[in-house]
Amino acid sequence: MQTEITEKKVCGLTLNECLRTIEAFHGWKAPGLVIGMFMIDWARELVGEHVEADAIVETRHCLPDAIQLFTPCTVGNGWMKILDWDKFALSLYDRKKRHGNRVWLDLEKAEQFPDLYNWYMRLVPKNALPLEVLTDTILSAERSVLSCESVYITQSYERDKKGKTAVCPICKEAYAGKLGKVCASCQGKGYYTAFNSHINERSEQ
Ligand code: ZN
């Protein structure tokens, strides 16, 4: 029996490997990532190991990191779309057939685990709940606090393809040509004010 427990795989890894992966990336066992690991494990299992699946995640917090750790989908490769809804939910889907599965943290189920529920709903101050207790709760809950539904993706979330590259005549930097004759920054949509002098890499402080 014992070997069965220790050999149990989550996201294709042993549980300890998963937790080490989270810790190495995040610096600590972030609870949102541990829940996310079980969500991805379930969604991945349903979509099928060998399907090239894209991801849509419905919050900017925690879950996108879990997707980047446990699937090939990253923000950088354009296989993951992030919706700023603050819903603890994600979908993995076959990008050609647009069919997949949505998994979310089900609050009604989470109520059976008061520590988890209270943490998620921010009903307790952070220091009132030791991380180990919360992590153990999540690890014992596994999928029992999650729900899953089969979905067809109706919005066309095409993978971001790089379009034509242009060189801005004002700042001389390369940018996405579709944005106009000069780059967004030189159109006045920039986010910074630059000081006059360029910093020389080799200059001494
Ligand atoms: Zn420019």
Side-chain angles (χ1 to χ4, degrees), residues 168 171 183 186:
C168 176
C171 68
C183 80
C186 292

mmCIF file with all atom_site columns, all heavy atoms in Angstrom, residues 168 171 183 186, ligand 1:
data_model
loop_
_atom_site.group_PDB
_atom_site.id
_atom_site.type_symbol
_atom_site.label_atom_id
_atom_site.label_alt_id
_atom_site.label_comp_id
_atom_site.label_asym_id
_atom_site.label_entity_id
_atom_site.label_seq_id
_atom_site.pdbx_PDB_ins_code
_atom_site.Cartn_x
_atom_site.Cartn_y
_atom_site.Cartn_z
_atom_site.occupancy
_atom_site.B_iso_or_equiv
_atom_site.pdbx_formal_charge
_atom_site.auth_seq_id
_atom_site.auth_comp_id
_atom_site.auth_asym_id
_atom_site.auth_atom_id
_atom_site.pdbx_PDB_model_num
ATOM   1  N  N  . CYS A 1 168 ? 11.083 52.068 -35.706 1.00 0.00 ? 168 CYS A N  1
ATOM   2  C  CA . CYS A 1 168 ? 10.514 53.393 -35.443 1.00 0.00 ? 168 CYS A CA 1
ATOM   3  C  C  . CYS A 1 168 ? 11.484 54.484 -35.915 1.00 0.00 ? 168 CYS A C  1
ATOM   4  O  O  . CYS A 1 168 ? 12.651 54.477 -35.522 1.00 0.00 ? 168 CYS A O  1
ATOM   5  C  CB . CYS A 1 168 ? 10.230 53.527 -33.954 1.00 0.00 ? 168 CYS A CB 1
ATOM   6  S  SG . CYS A 1 168 ? 9.644  55.161 -33.496 1.00 0.00 ? 168 CYS A SG 1
ATOM   7  N  N  . CYS A 1 171 ? 12.624 56.708 -32.439 1.00 0.00 ? 171 CYS A N  1
ATOM   8  C  CA . CYS A 1 171 ? 13.523 56.151 -31.410 1.00 0.00 ? 171 CYS A CA 1
ATOM   9  C  C  . CYS A 1 171 ? 14.479 55.098 -31.963 1.00 0.00 ? 171 CYS A C  1
ATOM   10 O  O  . CYS A 1 171 ? 15.381 54.651 -31.249 1.00 0.00 ? 171 CYS A O  1
ATOM   11 C  CB . CYS A 1 171 ? 12.718 55.579 -30.250 1.00 0.00 ? 171 CYS A CB 1
ATOM   12 S  SG . CYS A 1 171 ? 11.773 54.104 -30.675 1.00 0.00 ? 171 CYS A SG 1
ATOM   13 N  N  . CYS A 1 183 ? 6.388  53.950 -33.205 1.00 0.00 ? 183 CYS A N  1
ATOM   14 C  CA . CYS A 1 183 ? 6.066  52.999 -32.135 1.00 0.00 ? 183 CYS A CA 1
ATOM   15 C  C  . CYS A 1 183 ? 5.091  53.614 -31.120 1.00 0.00 ? 183 CYS A C  1
ATOM   16 O  O  . CYS A 1 183 ? 4.902  54.829 -31.072 1.00 0.00 ? 183 CYS A O  1
ATOM   17 C  CB . CYS A 1 183 ? 7.342  52.527 -31.444 1.00 0.00 ? 183 CYS A CB 1
ATOM   18 S  SG . CYS A 1 183 ? 7.997  53.693 -30.244 1.00 0.00 ? 183 CYS A SG 1
ATOM   19 N  N  . CYS A 1 186 ? 6.465  56.410 -28.934 1.00 0.00 ? 186 CYS A N  1
ATOM   20 C  CA . CYS A 1 186 ? 6.643  57.692 -29.625 1.00 0.00 ? 186 CYS A CA 1
ATOM   21 C  C  . CYS A 1 186 ? 5.299  58.296 -30.056 1.00 0.00 ? 186 CYS A C  1
ATOM   22 O  O  . CYS A 1 186 ? 5.239  59.475 -30.406 1.00 0.00 ? 186 CYS A O  1
ATOM   23 C  CB . CYS A 1 186 ? 7.590  57.524 -30.808 1.00 0.00 ? 186 CYS A CB 1
ATOM   24 S  SG . CYS A 1 186 ? 9.278  57.158 -30.281 1.00 0.00 ? 186 CYS A SG 1
HETATM 25 ZN ZN . ZN  B 2 .   ? 9.678  55.055 -31.244 1.00 0.00 ? 1   ZN  B ZN 1
#
